[in-house]
Amino acid sequence: MKIGEEMQLTIHAKGDKVNVLSHLLAKNPENLYERNHKGHIIRLFYDRFTDNEVEATIYAVPDPIVLTRDRANTYDITHYINDREFAVSSIFLSFIRSALSTGLNGLPKDEYREWVDHEFDYTFSFGPVSTSLKEKELEGLFGPLGFELSFMYPYGKGSPHYLVLKGKTTLQRGLRQLYVLIPVIDNYKHYYIDEKEREKLERYGEGWLSTHPQKSFIIQKALRFKELFAKMEESNINPKPVPSKDKVSLNVQRYERIIQIINAAEDKESIVDFGSGEGKLSTKLGFVNGVKEILAVEPSERETLKASKRFNEAASHNQFNMPQTIWGSLFYYDERLKHKDVMILCEVIEHIDIDRLKKVMDTILGQYQPKLLIITTPNSEYNERYDLGQHYRHEDHRFELTRTEFTSWCHERSHGYPYLCSISGIGDEDEKFGSPTQICVFEREEL
């Protein structure tokens, strides 16, 4: 396996007539496979190809031409916000799924169908991997599948590393196991998890997942909490009840509190909704009296398209103030966002690596200088009510803070800037754990 900067998966196989692998993958060893997918170049090539030994590598790298040419329209810069996007994860798997579809589905040409269930000695090597799981925990996932697991740390311990799996299996089974377990070990999914994800897990997990000793852990990580709770209910296992009001309307309560604060503000003509997603909050802001400009800033093109549709539907109301969508990120300075009356980060900061937040806050408080900055984030203490154990509320959260930690963080970030902090809770308050959401309002003092 050649170590490079790109996300990659190497498939190495040995055995009599193993060159049939090219037909199982539907990739000609004489040709370089190259496609462009979502701003990435996907390549598959053979390092070695004989009757008894085959090695194929597939990798993905950002396409600089597409990134430059279509930057304002088609490319989703969410891929460049967090370092995890450069690691092998569900994003990488989505990039290479089309290239490996014949192998995953076990549907080569008819004359090679008999080889779909044929076992060879395989080595699957992939990386870089960024995971919080310890080596023994990783061995607990792959060992029961018959794989011998080893690790490569090309840049030293603690750095993103590469996993090497050796075992006797079929190509289809091996690929399907990787498609289930790679998102589990990365603990990150970049797309919405719905009923199709359950169906995919059942399909790819057929024949091995039901007997895996870590089955519950895998399902929990693969489907996350909504589907996990549903499965527990179907199995007549009763989890600790989640407060029904919070489960249904906590998001609405956040929006209502934010709008309440804006209504009470003296200056509210211009508002920036950072991380506006599919536009739910920005739509509500469009009906607030006194608001003249709403900038809905979002790095995801897909979410921005959903927001635009939502805004157009709301535009049928005469009193709706149409928000302006801006394709942008907290990590890219934008002159258009300076000196607005209100800036909002609703459930945003916890999606950013905490050591990168200082620079974000310095940009907001030091350069954008809104008169009012509103930040909401989960209260990690309240997770006890959800019976989440050591898990965060969302698979993409990089951290969650206690009330004390959040208070300290807010005051530290405002230090040196002319802002006063006001911190409170949102949602039903528990006597021991506080409210599920915490909110800080940074109010700029007149100089």
Side-chain angles (χ1 to χ4, degrees):
M1 178 184 182
K2 298 177 181 178
I3 302 299
E5 296 297 326
E6 63 274 355
M7 302 172 282
Q8 65 181 65
L9 164 66
T10 296
I11 304 168
H12 181 270
K14 287 184 176 181
D16 186 37
K17 297 183 180 179
V18 75
N19 56 357
V20 74
L21 190 65
S22 65
H23 297 284
L24 299 181
L25 289 170
K27 299 294 177 289
N28 189 331
E30 301 296 326
N31 301 325
L32 170 68
Y33 173 92
E34 180 175 301
R35 298 289 188 276
N36 190 292
H37 181 69
K38 295 184 178 179
H40 280 70
I41 298 172
I42 314 301
R43 291 193 179 103
L44 185 148
F45 61 92
Y46 291 86
D47 299 285
R48 195 174 293 116
F49 193 84
T50 68
D51 291 348
N52 302 309
E53 186 176 11
V54 172
E55 182 174 285
T57 296
I58 185 168
Y59 67 90
V61 292
D63 185 341
I65 296 177
V66 173
L67 179 61
T68 302
R69 183 189 64 206
D70 297 338
R71 186 175 184 271
N73 298 311
T74 62
Y75 196 78
D76 186 344
I77 62 174
T78 318
H79 296 171
Y80 288 91
I81 289 180
N82 293 298
D83 293 338
R84 281 193 189 183
E85 308 299 352
F86 297 104
V88 167
S89 65
S90 60
I91 292 179
F92 173 66
L93 297 180
S94 73
F95 290 163
I96 67 173
R97 182 178 290 115
S98 178
L100 300 180
S101 61
T102 302
L104 275 166
N105 296 322
L107 295 174
K109 293 182 178 179
D110 289 344
E111 57 264 41
Y112 299 102
R113 290 285 180 89
E114 62 181 292
W115 292 96
V116 171
D117 296 323
H118 188 86
E119 293 185 342
F120 291 109
D121 291 317
Y122 278 95
T123 299
F124 297 100
S125 309
F126 57 92
V129 172
S130 179
T131 180
S132 60
L133 297 182
K134 296 179 174 59
E135 291 186 0
K136 286 189 177 180
E137 292 175 307
L138 292 169
E139 290 171 353
L141 289 176
F142 293 103
L145 302 177
F147 288 114
E148 177 186 334
L149 177 64
S150 59
F151 306 85
M152 290 189 295
Y153 295 88
Y155 310 110
K157 278 275 190 176
S159 66
H161 52 285
Y162 292 75
L163 270 59
V164 182
L165 309 174
K166 293 184 178 182
K168 200 174 189 66
T169 186
T170 69
L171 176 67
Q172 182 185 33
R173 186 163 68 243
L175 289 178
R176 289 189 167 192
Q177 289 167 346
L178 291 179
Y179 263 76
V180 170
L181 294 180
I182 285 178
V184 168
I185 66 177
D186 184 72
N187 195 31
Y188 175 76
K189 276 203 171 184
H190 74 288
Y191 48 84
Y192 179 69
I193 299 172
D194 57 12
E195 189 61 31
K196 291 181 180 178
E197 284 297 291
R198 178 182 294 281
E199 295 171 359
K200 187 171 71 175
L201 184 64
E202 291 175 351
R203 184 170 73 252
Y204 287 175
E206 184 179 0
W208 64 272
L209 182 55
S210 63
T211 58
H212 197 293
Q214 299 294 326
K215 173 187 172 183
S216 296
F217 175 77
I218 293 169
I219 292 174
Q220 179 183 2
K221 291 292 187 179
L223 298 181
R224 305 307 192 253
F225 304 117
K226 175 184 174 183
E227 284 75 11
L228 177 62
F229 284 135
K231 185 175 182 63
M232 293 170 80
E233 291 171 355
E234 291 168 4
S235 303
N236 296 318
I237 301 175
N238 297 317
K240 198 171 187 176
V242 177
S244 59
K245 182 178 179 181
D246 287 347
K247 183 178 179 181
V248 173
S249 61
L250 180 57
N251 206 38
V252 173
Q253 292 181 62
R254 293 190 196 103
Y255 295 161
E256 289 176 348
R257 174 67 68 83
I258 290 170
I259 290 173
Q260 181 183 27
I261 293 169
I262 293 173
N263 277 327
E266 185 175 341
D267 299 308
K268 55 191 171 191
E269 288 190 359
S270 56
I271 299 178
V272 177
D273 181 11
F274 244 128
S276 54
E278 58 185 68
K280 291 182 180 179
L281 175 57
S282 291
T283 300
K284 292 182 180 294
L285 295 172
F287 291 100
V288 175
N289 291 331
V291 176
K292 296 182 179 179
E293 179 188 46
I294 304 164
L295 303 180
V297 185
E298 170 61 36
S300 169
E301 181 190 20
R302 180 174 59 181
E303 294 301 292
T304 299
L305 290 173
K306 292 180 183 178
S308 296
K309 181 179 179 182
R310 187 183 299 274
F311 299 156
N312 289 331
E313 291 173 351
S316 60
H317 299 274
N318 294 331
Q319 304 195 357
F320 180 67
N321 181 20
M322 175 73 79
Q324 176 187 348
T325 59
I326 292 181
W327 186 72
S329 160
L330 284 165
F331 297 103
Y332 298 87
Y333 178 75
D334 192 330
E335 186 74 20
R336 294 171 293 179
L337 309 183
K338 285 188 67 174
H339 302 145
K340 301 303 181 183
D341 293 324
V342 182
M343 184 169 285
I344 304 167
L345 277 70
C346 180
E347 305 299 287
V348 169
I349 64 170
E350 61 273 11
H351 294 270
I352 303 169
D353 293 328
I354 196 165
D355 58 348
R356 305 179 74 182
L357 268 180
K358 182 180 185 302
K359 183 178 180 181
V360 168
M361 292 298 290
D362 287 342
T363 299
I364 292 174
L365 301 179
Q367 297 185 62
Y368 290 148
Q369 300 178 359
K371 293 179 181 178
L372 213 62
L373 170 64
I374 304 171
I375 294 179
T376 75
T377 194
N379 165 24
S380 65
E381 297 168 77
Y382 200 87
N383 290 352
E384 185 74 21
R385 292 287 305 274
Y386 295 113
D387 198 25
L388 297 184
Q390 299 299 313
H391 300 292
Y392 293 148
R393 285 189 213 173
H394 190 279
E395 66 274 6
D396 189 41
H397 286 185
R398 302 301 193 253
F399 66 89
E400 290 178 359
L401 302 175
T402 65
R403 287 169 290 174
T404 300
E405 290 170 338
F406 183 60
T407 299
S408 176
W409 181 84
C410 291
H411 287 294
E412 287 176 2
R413 296 287 69 81
S414 63
H415 181 70
Y417 296 106
Y419 283 88
L420 297 176
C421 297
S422 175
I423 300 169
S424 58
I426 299 175
D428 290 343
E429 185 172 0
D430 181 271
E431 183 177 345
K432 181 178 180 182
F433 304 117
S435 299
T437 295
Q438 42 195 344
I439 181 171
C440 181
V441 179
F442 296 79
E443 186 173 2
R444 187 173 176 85
E445 299 178 284
E446 292 187 14
L447 300 178

Short mmCIF file of all heavy atoms in Angstrom, two decimals, residues 60-104:
data_model
loop_
_atom_site.label_atom_id
_atom_site.label_comp_id
_atom_site.label_asym_id
_atom_site.label_seq_id
_atom_site.Cartn_x
_atom_site.Cartn_y
_atom_site.Cartn_z
N ALA A 60 -9.50 9.15 -3.69
CA ALA A 60 -10.23 10.38 -4.01
C ALA A 60 -9.41 11.58 -3.58
O ALA A 60 -8.88 11.62 -2.47
CB ALA A 60 -11.58 10.39 -3.29
N VAL A 61 -9.30 12.55 -4.46
CA VAL A 61 -8.62 13.80 -4.15
C VAL A 61 -9.47 14.96 -4.66
O VAL A 61 -10.20 14.81 -5.65
CB VAL A 61 -7.22 13.89 -4.79
CG1 VAL A 61 -6.27 12.89 -4.18
CG2 VAL A 61 -7.29 13.69 -6.30
N PRO A 62 -9.44 16.12 -3.99
CA PRO A 62 -10.18 17.28 -4.50
C PRO A 62 -9.72 17.66 -5.89
O PRO A 62 -8.52 17.62 -6.19
CB PRO A 62 -9.84 18.38 -3.47
CG PRO A 62 -9.41 17.65 -2.25
CD PRO A 62 -8.73 16.40 -2.73
N ASP A 63 -10.68 18.00 -6.75
CA ASP A 63 -10.37 18.45 -8.11
C ASP A 63 -10.17 19.96 -8.08
O ASP A 63 -11.14 20.72 -7.94
CB ASP A 63 -11.53 18.09 -9.04
CG ASP A 63 -11.23 18.41 -10.50
OD1 ASP A 63 -10.31 19.23 -10.73
OD2 ASP A 63 -11.90 17.88 -11.38
N PRO A 64 -8.94 20.45 -8.19
CA PRO A 64 -8.70 21.90 -8.08
C PRO A 64 -9.38 22.71 -9.18
O PRO A 64 -9.73 23.85 -8.97
CB PRO A 64 -7.17 22.00 -8.17
CG PRO A 64 -6.74 20.76 -8.88
CD PRO A 64 -7.71 19.70 -8.48
N ILE A 65 -9.57 22.10 -10.34
CA ILE A 65 -10.20 22.83 -11.45
C ILE A 65 -11.67 23.08 -11.14
O ILE A 65 -12.18 24.19 -11.27
CB ILE A 65 -10.05 22.04 -12.76
CG1 ILE A 65 -8.56 21.94 -13.14
CG2 ILE A 65 -10.85 22.70 -13.87
CD1 ILE A 65 -8.30 21.12 -14.38
N VAL A 66 -12.36 22.01 -10.71
CA VAL A 66 -13.78 22.15 -10.36
C VAL A 66 -13.93 23.09 -9.18
O VAL A 66 -14.83 23.94 -9.13
CB VAL A 66 -14.40 20.77 -10.05
CG1 VAL A 66 -15.83 20.95 -9.53
CG2 VAL A 66 -14.39 19.91 -11.30
N LEU A 67 -13.05 22.93 -8.19
CA LEU A 67 -13.12 23.76 -6.99
C LEU A 67 -13.01 25.24 -7.33
O LEU A 67 -13.71 26.08 -6.81
CB LEU A 67 -12.01 23.36 -6.02
CG LEU A 67 -11.93 24.16 -4.71
CD1 LEU A 67 -13.21 23.99 -3.93
CD2 LEU A 67 -10.74 23.70 -3.89
N THR A 68 -12.11 25.58 -8.26
CA THR A 68 -11.90 26.97 -8.65
C THR A 68 -13.00 27.46 -9.58
O THR A 68 -13.57 28.52 -9.39
CB THR A 68 -10.53 27.12 -9.36
OG1 THR A 68 -9.51 26.67 -8.46
CG2 THR A 68 -10.29 28.57 -9.73
N ARG A 69 -13.32 26.65 -10.58
CA ARG A 69 -14.27 27.07 -11.61
C ARG A 69 -15.68 27.23 -11.06
O ARG A 69 -16.37 28.20 -11.36
CB ARG A 69 -14.28 26.03 -12.73
CG ARG A 69 -15.20 26.40 -13.91
CD ARG A 69 -15.32 25.21 -14.85
NE ARG A 69 -15.97 24.09 -14.19
CZ ARG A 69 -15.78 22.82 -14.55
NH1 ARG A 69 -14.96 22.51 -15.53
NH2 ARG A 69 -16.42 21.85 -13.91
N ASP A 70 -16.12 26.29 -10.22
CA ASP A 70 -17.51 26.28 -9.78
C ASP A 70 -17.66 26.69 -8.33
O ASP A 70 -18.66 26.41 -7.70
CB ASP A 70 -18.12 24.87 -9.97
CG ASP A 70 -18.14 24.48 -11.42
OD1 ASP A 70 -18.10 25.39 -12.27
OD2 ASP A 70 -18.21 23.28 -11.71
N ARG A 71 -16.68 27.35 -7.79
CA ARG A 71 -16.66 27.63 -6.35
C ARG A 71 -17.92 28.34 -5.86
O ARG A 71 -18.42 28.07 -4.78
CB ARG A 71 -15.44 28.50 -6.00
CG ARG A 71 -15.26 28.72 -4.52
CD ARG A 71 -13.96 29.47 -4.26
NE ARG A 71 -13.73 29.60 -2.82
CZ ARG A 71 -14.19 30.59 -2.10
NH1 ARG A 71 -14.91 31.53 -2.66
NH2 ARG A 71 -13.95 30.64 -0.80
N ALA A 72 -18.46 29.23 -6.65
CA ALA A 72 -19.60 30.02 -6.17
C ALA A 72 -20.93 29.33 -6.37
O ALA A 72 -21.94 29.80 -5.89
CB ALA A 72 -19.63 31.36 -6.88
N ASN A 73 -20.94 28.21 -7.13
CA ASN A 73 -22.23 27.64 -7.48
C ASN A 73 -22.42 26.19 -7.09
O ASN A 73 -23.41 25.84 -6.45
CB ASN A 73 -22.46 27.77 -9.00
CG ASN A 73 -22.50 29.22 -9.44
OD1 ASN A 73 -23.20 30.02 -8.84
ND2 ASN A 73 -21.73 29.55 -10.46
N THR A 74 -21.48 25.32 -7.45
CA THR A 74 -21.78 23.89 -7.35
C THR A 74 -21.02 23.16 -6.29
O THR A 74 -21.39 22.06 -5.93
CB THR A 74 -21.50 23.19 -8.69
OG1 THR A 74 -20.10 23.33 -8.99
CG2 THR A 74 -22.30 23.82 -9.81
N TYR A 75 -19.93 23.71 -5.77
CA TYR A 75 -19.14 22.93 -4.84
C TYR A 75 -19.50 23.22 -3.40
O TYR A 75 -19.65 24.37 -3.01
CB TYR A 75 -17.64 23.18 -5.06
CG TYR A 75 -16.83 22.11 -4.39
CD1 TYR A 75 -16.71 20.85 -4.98
CD2 TYR A 75 -16.28 22.33 -3.14
CE1 TYR A 75 -16.01 19.86 -4.35
CE2 TYR A 75 -15.57 21.33 -2.51
CZ TYR A 75 -15.44 20.10 -3.11
OH TYR A 75 -14.75 19.10 -2.49
N ASP A 76 -19.65 22.19 -2.64
CA ASP A 76 -20.05 22.31 -1.24
C ASP A 76 -18.81 22.42 -0.37
O ASP A 76 -18.11 21.46 -0.14
CB ASP A 76 -20.86 21.05 -0.86
CG ASP A 76 -21.45 21.15 0.53
OD1 ASP A 76 -20.99 22.01 1.29
OD2 ASP A 76 -22.36 20.36 0.82
N ILE A 77 -18.51 23.63 0.12
CA ILE A 77 -17.26 23.83 0.85
C ILE A 77 -17.30 23.25 2.25
O ILE A 77 -16.34 23.35 2.99
CB ILE A 77 -16.87 25.32 0.92
CG1 ILE A 77 -17.94 26.10 1.68
CG2 ILE A 77 -16.63 25.90 -0.43
CD1 ILE A 77 -17.56 27.54 1.93
N THR A 78 -18.41 22.63 2.61
CA THR A 78 -18.43 21.92 3.88
C THR A 78 -17.30 20.90 3.91
O THR A 78 -16.75 20.59 4.97
CB THR A 78 -19.76 21.16 4.06
OG1 THR A 78 -20.82 22.00 3.64
CG2 THR A 78 -19.96 20.78 5.51
N HIS A 79 -16.93 20.36 2.75
CA HIS A 79 -15.87 19.36 2.67
C HIS A 79 -14.53 19.90 3.13
O HIS A 79 -13.61 19.13 3.37
CB HIS A 79 -15.73 18.86 1.22
CG HIS A 79 -16.94 18.15 0.72
ND1 HIS A 79 -17.10 17.80 -0.58
CD2 HIS A 79 -18.06 17.75 1.36
CE1 HIS A 79 -18.27 17.19 -0.75
NE2 HIS A 79 -18.86 17.16 0.40
N TYR A 80 -14.40 21.23 3.22
CA TYR A 80 -13.10 21.81 3.56
C TYR A 80 -13.10 22.51 4.91
O TYR A 80 -12.18 23.23 5.23
CB TYR A 80 -12.66 22.77 2.45
CG TYR A 80 -12.27 21.98 1.24
CD1 TYR A 80 -13.21 21.69 0.27
CD2 TYR A 80 -11.00 21.45 1.10
CE1 TYR A 80 -12.88 20.92 -0.83
CE2 TYR A 80 -10.66 20.67 0.01
CZ TYR A 80 -11.60 20.42 -0.95
OH TYR A 80 -11.28 19.64 -2.03
N ILE A 81 -14.13 22.32 5.69
CA ILE A 81 -14.20 22.98 6.98
C ILE A 81 -13.50 22.17 8.04
O ILE A 81 -12.79 22.69 8.89
CB ILE A 81 -15.68 23.22 7.38
CG1 ILE A 81 -16.27 24.30 6.49
CG2 ILE A 81 -15.78 23.62 8.83
CD1 ILE A 81 -17.70 24.61 6.78
N ASN A 82 -13.66 20.85 8.02
CA ASN A 82 -13.10 20.02 9.07
C ASN A 82 -12.11 19.02 8.49
O ASN A 82 -12.31 18.49 7.41
CB ASN A 82 -14.23 19.25 9.79
CG ASN A 82 -15.13 20.19 10.55
OD1 ASN A 82 -14.68 20.86 11.47
ND2 ASN A 82 -16.39 20.24 10.17
N ASP A 83 -11.05 18.76 9.26
CA ASP A 83 -10.03 17.84 8.79
C ASP A 83 -10.56 16.44 8.56
O ASP A 83 -9.98 15.67 7.81
CB ASP A 83 -8.87 17.78 9.81
CG ASP A 83 -8.15 19.12 9.87
OD1 ASP A 83 -8.24 19.88 8.90
OD2 ASP A 83 -7.50 19.39 10.89
N ARG A 84 -11.67 16.08 9.21
CA ARG A 84 -12.21 14.73 9.02
C ARG A 84 -12.60 14.48 7.58
O ARG A 84 -12.69 13.34 7.15
CB ARG A 84 -13.45 14.54 9.91
CG ARG A 84 -13.09 14.25 11.35
CD ARG A 84 -14.32 13.77 12.08
NE ARG A 84 -14.07 13.69 13.52
CZ ARG A 84 -14.95 13.25 14.38
NH1 ARG A 84 -16.13 12.85 13.97
NH2 ARG A 84 -14.68 13.21 15.67
N GLU A 85 -12.87 15.57 6.83
CA GLU A 85 -13.27 15.39 5.46
C GLU A 85 -12.14 14.82 4.62
O GLU A 85 -12.34 14.38 3.50
CB GLU A 85 -13.74 16.72 4.87
CG GLU A 85 -14.80 17.44 5.71
CD GLU A 85 -16.07 16.65 5.89
OE1 GLU A 85 -16.23 15.61 5.24
OE2 GLU A 85 -16.93 17.09 6.67
N PHE A 86 -10.90 14.87 5.11
CA PHE A 86 -9.77 14.31 4.38
C PHE A 86 -9.48 12.89 4.85
O PHE A 86 -8.53 12.28 4.39
CB PHE A 86 -8.53 15.20 4.58
CG PHE A 86 -8.70 16.57 4.02
CD1 PHE A 86 -8.95 17.65 4.85
CD2 PHE A 86 -8.65 16.78 2.65
CE1 PHE A 86 -9.12 18.91 4.33
CE2 PHE A 86 -8.83 18.06 2.13
CZ PHE A 86 -9.06 19.12 2.97
N ALA A 87 -10.27 12.38 5.78
CA ALA A 87 -10.09 11.03 6.28
C ALA A 87 -11.11 10.11 5.62
O ALA A 87 -12.15 10.53 5.11
CB ALA A 87 -10.26 10.99 7.80
N VAL A 88 -10.79 8.80 5.63
CA VAL A 88 -11.71 7.82 5.09
C VAL A 88 -12.93 7.75 6.01
O VAL A 88 -12.82 7.43 7.19
CB VAL A 88 -11.02 6.43 4.99
CG1 VAL A 88 -12.05 5.35 4.73
CG2 VAL A 88 -9.99 6.46 3.86
N SER A 89 -14.09 8.08 5.48
CA SER A 89 -15.32 8.15 6.26
C SER A 89 -16.49 7.88 5.33
O SER A 89 -16.32 7.43 4.19
CB SER A 89 -15.47 9.54 6.89
OG SER A 89 -15.62 10.51 5.87
N SER A 90 -17.71 8.19 5.80
CA SER A 90 -18.88 7.99 4.95
C SER A 90 -18.80 8.85 3.69
O SER A 90 -19.34 8.49 2.64
CB SER A 90 -20.16 8.32 5.73
OG SER A 90 -20.14 9.66 6.17
N ILE A 91 -18.14 10.00 3.78
CA ILE A 91 -17.99 10.86 2.60
C ILE A 91 -17.16 10.15 1.54
O ILE A 91 -17.53 10.09 0.37
CB ILE A 91 -17.33 12.20 2.99
CG1 ILE A 91 -18.31 13.01 3.86
CG2 ILE A 91 -16.95 12.99 1.76
CD1 ILE A 91 -17.75 14.32 4.31
N PHE A 92 -16.03 9.60 1.94
CA PHE A 92 -15.18 8.87 1.01
C PHE A 92 -15.95 7.71 0.39
O PHE A 92 -15.88 7.47 -0.82
CB PHE A 92 -13.94 8.36 1.74
CG PHE A 92 -13.07 7.44 0.91
CD1 PHE A 92 -12.40 7.92 -0.20
CD2 PHE A 92 -12.92 6.11 1.26
CE1 PHE A 92 -11.59 7.08 -0.97
CE2 PHE A 92 -12.12 5.26 0.50
CZ PHE A 92 -11.45 5.75 -0.61
N LEU A 93 -16.70 6.98 1.20
CA LEU A 93 -17.46 5.84 0.69
C LEU A 93 -18.50 6.29 -0.34
O LEU A 93 -18.76 5.60 -1.32
CB LEU A 93 -18.14 5.10 1.84
CG LEU A 93 -17.21 4.45 2.86
CD1 LEU A 93 -18.02 3.76 3.95
CD2 LEU A 93 -16.26 3.47 2.20
N SER A 94 -19.11 7.46 -0.10
CA SER A 94 -20.09 7.95 -1.08
C SER A 94 -19.41 8.31 -2.39
O SER A 94 -19.99 8.16 -3.46
CB SER A 94 -20.83 9.17 -0.51
OG SER A 94 -20.01 10.31 -0.49
N PHE A 95 -18.16 8.80 -2.31
CA PHE A 95 -17.42 9.13 -3.51
C PHE A 95 -17.14 7.89 -4.37
O PHE A 95 -17.23 7.94 -5.60
CB PHE A 95 -16.07 9.77 -3.16
CG PHE A 95 -16.18 11.15 -2.56
CD1 PHE A 95 -15.11 11.70 -1.87
CD2 PHE A 95 -17.33 11.90 -2.70
CE1 PHE A 95 -15.19 12.97 -1.33
CE2 PHE A 95 -17.43 13.17 -2.15
CZ PHE A 95 -16.35 13.71 -1.47
N ILE A 96 -16.78 6.77 -3.72
CA ILE A 96 -16.32 5.60 -4.47
C ILE A 96 -17.40 4.54 -4.67
O ILE A 96 -17.15 3.52 -5.28
CB ILE A 96 -15.10 4.95 -3.77
CG1 ILE A 96 -15.49 4.35 -2.41
CG2 ILE A 96 -13.97 5.97 -3.60
CD1 ILE A 96 -14.37 3.56 -1.75
N ARG A 97 -18.61 4.80 -4.17
CA ARG A 97 -19.66 3.79 -4.25
C ARG A 97 -19.96 3.40 -5.69
O ARG A 97 -20.12 2.22 -6.01
CB ARG A 97 -20.94 4.27 -3.56
CG ARG A 97 -22.07 3.22 -3.59
CD ARG A 97 -23.31 3.68 -2.88
NE ARG A 97 -23.08 3.74 -1.44
CZ ARG A 97 -23.10 4.86 -0.73
NH1 ARG A 97 -23.32 6.02 -1.32
NH2 ARG A 97 -22.90 4.83 0.55
N SER A 98 -20.06 4.38 -6.57
CA SER A 98 -20.37 4.08 -7.97
C SER A 98 -19.28 3.22 -8.60
O SER A 98 -19.57 2.26 -9.32
CB SER A 98 -20.53 5.39 -8.76
OG SER A 98 -20.78 5.12 -10.11
N ALA A 99 -18.02 3.53 -8.30
CA ALA A 99 -16.91 2.78 -8.88
C ALA A 99 -16.90 1.33 -8.40
O ALA A 99 -16.48 0.42 -9.13
CB ALA A 99 -15.58 3.45 -8.52
N LEU A 100 -17.37 1.09 -7.17
CA LEU A 100 -17.33 -0.26 -6.59
C LEU A 100 -18.70 -0.94 -6.60
O LEU A 100 -18.86 -1.99 -5.97
CB LEU A 100 -16.81 -0.19 -5.15
CG LEU A 100 -15.40 0.37 -4.96
CD1 LEU A 100 -15.02 0.36 -3.47
CD2 LEU A 100 -14.38 -0.45 -5.75
N SER A 101 -19.65 -0.37 -7.31
CA SER A 101 -21.03 -0.88 -7.23
C SER A 101 -21.15 -2.33 -7.70
O SER A 101 -21.92 -3.11 -7.12
CB SER A 101 -21.96 0.01 -8.06
OG SER A 101 -21.58 0.02 -9.42
N THR A 102 -20.42 -2.71 -8.73
CA THR A 102 -20.50 -4.10 -9.21
C THR A 102 -20.02 -5.06 -8.13
O THR A 102 -20.63 -6.11 -7.90
CB THR A 102 -19.66 -4.29 -10.49
OG1 THR A 102 -20.14 -3.39 -11.49
CG2 THR A 102 -19.78 -5.71 -11.02
N GLY A 103 -18.91 -4.72 -7.46
CA GLY A 103 -18.40 -5.56 -6.39
C GLY A 103 -19.32 -5.59 -5.18
O GLY A 103 -19.55 -6.64 -4.58
N LEU A 104 -19.89 -4.44 -4.82
CA LEU A 104 -20.79 -4.36 -3.67
C LEU A 104 -22.07 -5.15 -3.90
O LEU A 104 -22.57 -5.82 -3.00
CB LEU A 104 -21.14 -2.90 -3.39
CG LEU A 104 -20.17 -2.09 -2.52
CD1 LEU A 104 -20.48 -0.61 -2.63
CD2 LEU A 104 -20.26 -2.54 -1.07
#
